[in-house]
Structures are given as structure tokens and as C-alpha cells.
Amino acid sequence: MGSYEENLDTYLYQCVTGGPQAATAKSAEGLYFTLEDGQKVMDATGGAAVSAIGHGNKTVREAIIRQLDTVTYAHPGYFSNAPARELADWLVASTGGQMSRACILGSGSEAVEAALKLAYQYFAELTPQSPRINFISRRGSWHGCTIGALSVGDIKSRTTLFEPLLLKNVSKVSPCHPWRDMRKGETEEAYVARLKQELEDEFQRLGPETVCAFIVEPMVGTALGCVVALPGYLRAMKEVCDRHGALIIFDEIMCGLGRTGAQHAWMHDGVVPDIQTVGKVLGGGYAAISAMLVNDRVIRGLQEGNGSFIHAQTYQAQPLTCAAALATQQYIQANNLVENARCMGEYLGKELQQHLMDHPLVGDVRGRGLFWAVELTQDKITKAPWDPRLNLAKRIRSRGLEKGYDICIFSATGAADGWNGDQFLLAPPYIVQKQDVDEIVTRVVKVMNSVWEDIEPIVSGR
């Protein structure tokens, strides 16, 4: 019988030295990868919540081939192209006309960078030498890995090293995270009011006339683990921004385009942003593509100035990626897959909560649509995270990829305070059926039980 520290040292050695190199995917079809050694692995995460229609979709593949036979690249500074125009029109229409323009870009990080630049340019066009240079974001958020996006994000393990490079005109307020941050006896309404006052106080601290925009994920993904904003929260945040003339940016790179069971995550609350970013599901894994959606207020501001957004990228509105994204979105629409994401998401959540809420590793199971997370804690009451040296989230992901478990699980850390805390996400493709959800839950539970068998003697000191 050894001490906790002795057992932990041995366990860490086994974890660090015993992990295999990343396997090579040979092919993929539907919900499954086939690896070079013949192992079939179930994709329960869509990568990073990307593969909304599964792998090997013939409709999208044929659309890509058709575009290959016409034009694959046309610089937007010289030419427009039909796939880009059609995709932009489709995106605007998907908002019910609430947004009026779409700018087609590359990665999600690029879309966030563009959103920050556009927000600043909007005010600069209206008032030359505008004092509005400050951005407010939230702790426990993630917006991308380029410098601007990294500056407004808050995953400590990804930002700390680069702090000397980050923007100095960004400040952060609390997220809407009722499971961790609501006080004892506090109602949801009182909690939302407290967060609204915190944002108001930050405006006042900075000087309301200096705030350019507040950027928020309507549903937080990686950083906190699928945290859904309480009813009334987004409206309260927008009221503060509107009162002071600032813009509100919704980052829906991870949670948008049907992932939450609504076409856009903001539709659950009926709160329309000034600027919105989308990605991941946009290309569905068939193209590296994102977009920025803009409402009339911002467009009118640009029209009063020089009439254009000062921004350009080499692969902006590339015909081939636009054709792939358009085919992906049309497939989702034609097959009513957003509704399927809502229905199957409700079932997935119920099954996860039934089978995992009482698990000794688990603190909380939460989510919406086909976007669910399991946060791991030592104690469900205190919500204390597990010792980070146990490396639980990565251990779960690695175990899932072993033969006999055969499932992709998206691991993440920092849910407790930015550094500490383990969580994992499940974001299966929208094509899942009830039997697929059952199989996902069965495999996840098997992984969790196996990892608990590993660490239970360690944490109990046996």
C-alpha cells in the first residue's frame, strides 16, 4: 500500500511512456474511420465538432468534382464566382434576413480576426480618430489561435506563453456558467442581472465611449465544455452594448450552423448579433472555410465611409471551398438534419446523464443539440477538479482510441480555472440515429470505467 504521491508518480510514468504514436487514418465513411491496421473507430466528435454530415458524403464529393472541372481558384480582387455568391446568399437567408451580408474566409481564427477589424473599422468610418479601440471578452472562452483571436480568448495553456504578443486593449468579464458560478440561493434572474452589472461596470471602468465591441460565444465549446447561456443572458449583454453604442459579436465557429439544434445558436434566444462568425460545420470537413455575417447596422456604417471592408486574403471566397460548403449546407437542409441534431441531441443528453452522472469521475454532464460535455471533478458538491497530474482528459481520449474501445473523444482541460479541470466533448455528426447514440454512450461508459479502474487505487492510496 503506497502513498498517493508514490502511486501517482508511477501512474504518470506509465501514462507518459506508454502512449502510442498517433495512428494513421486510411479511410473514412459515415461515422467511422478505418485505420491502416484495419481498426474501425467511431467518430463521436466530428473532429473538433466539424464533420456534421459524416465522412465520404457522395453528394458533396460530386459537387467538388464538378467544381474541379470548371474553376478552382479566382482571386476575389479580380473576379467574383458563382459558388461564393450562392453560399453568401444561402448564409444570409439562413438567418431569416436578420443578417444582410456574408464574407467568406478561411479558418475560424481568420473569421474572428476579420470580425475584430470590421468592428473597429465601423466606428473609424463613422468618426475619424474614433476612441473606440477596446474589446471586452469573457474568461473561459476560446476564439482561435491567431494573435487577435488569441487575445480575446482565455485558455491559459494556449495563451500564457504568448502573453507578451497579445493585444493590450482587451479586458475580460465572467462567463455565464451557472453550474460553477451561481451563488447559493441565487436565482437565475439574479445571476443574469449580476453578470449584466459586471459588464456595465467594465464599460464604465474603460469609458463607455472607448468600447468597440463585446465578443461572446453563445454556447461555449472547448474552454468550459458546452456551457449553455441562461435564458435572458444574451439579451442582457446586448442591452448593455446597445445602450453604450458598442457592437456585439457572436462567435459561433464551434456552436453554429445547427450544432445546438437551431440553425444559429442565437436563435434559441432570439438575440441578433451585429457581427457573427461561423466555421467548422460550414465546410463539414470537406473544405477549410469560415464566414463572417454582418447586419445592416454595420453595413450602413461602412457605406457612409469608404464603402468597403479593408480586408483581403488570398483564399478568400475560393470557388472550390465554397462549392464544398454550399453542398454541405444544402445537404443538411434537404435532409432536415438540424432537426435531427435537436432530437438526437436530446436523446444523447438524456442517455449521458443517466449513465454518467453517478460515475465517480464525473461532476457534470451538460450540453444542447449534438454538443455535449462531461466535466470531471473529485466532488460534485465542491466541484474540485482532479489533480492535473492525473492527465485524465487526455487519458480518456487515448483509451478511447485503443482497440476494444474504438471511439474518438474530444479532450480538453482548464474548465475549473483556466489551468485546472478536465472535460471531454461529444459532437457527433448530424446524421446519427438512435442506435448510433446508444453505441456512442456504451463506448464512452466503457472508456470511463476502464480509466476509473486505473486511477481508483491511485487516488485511494492503495
Side-chain angles (χ1 to χ4, degrees), residues 55 88 119 140 142 198 322 327 403 450:
H55 304 278
W142 179 244
E198 182 182 350
C322 289
K403 289 185 177 180
S450 175

Side-chain angles (χ1 to χ4, degrees), residues 90 121 209 221 290 306 321 336 339:
W90 189 95
Q121 184 184 339
E209 73 285 354
S290 65
N306 70 17
T321 58
N336 202 26
E339 175 62 14

Side-chain angles (χ1 to χ4, degrees), residues 90 94-95 252 255-265 267 276 329 332-333 338:
W90 189 95
S94 75
T95 69
E252 295 201 10
C255 67
L257 295 176
R259 176 57 65 187
T260 66
Q263 184 63 51
H264 299 280
M267 289 180 168
Q276 175 188 357
Q329 298 311 306
I332 290 172
Q333 187 175 50
V338 174

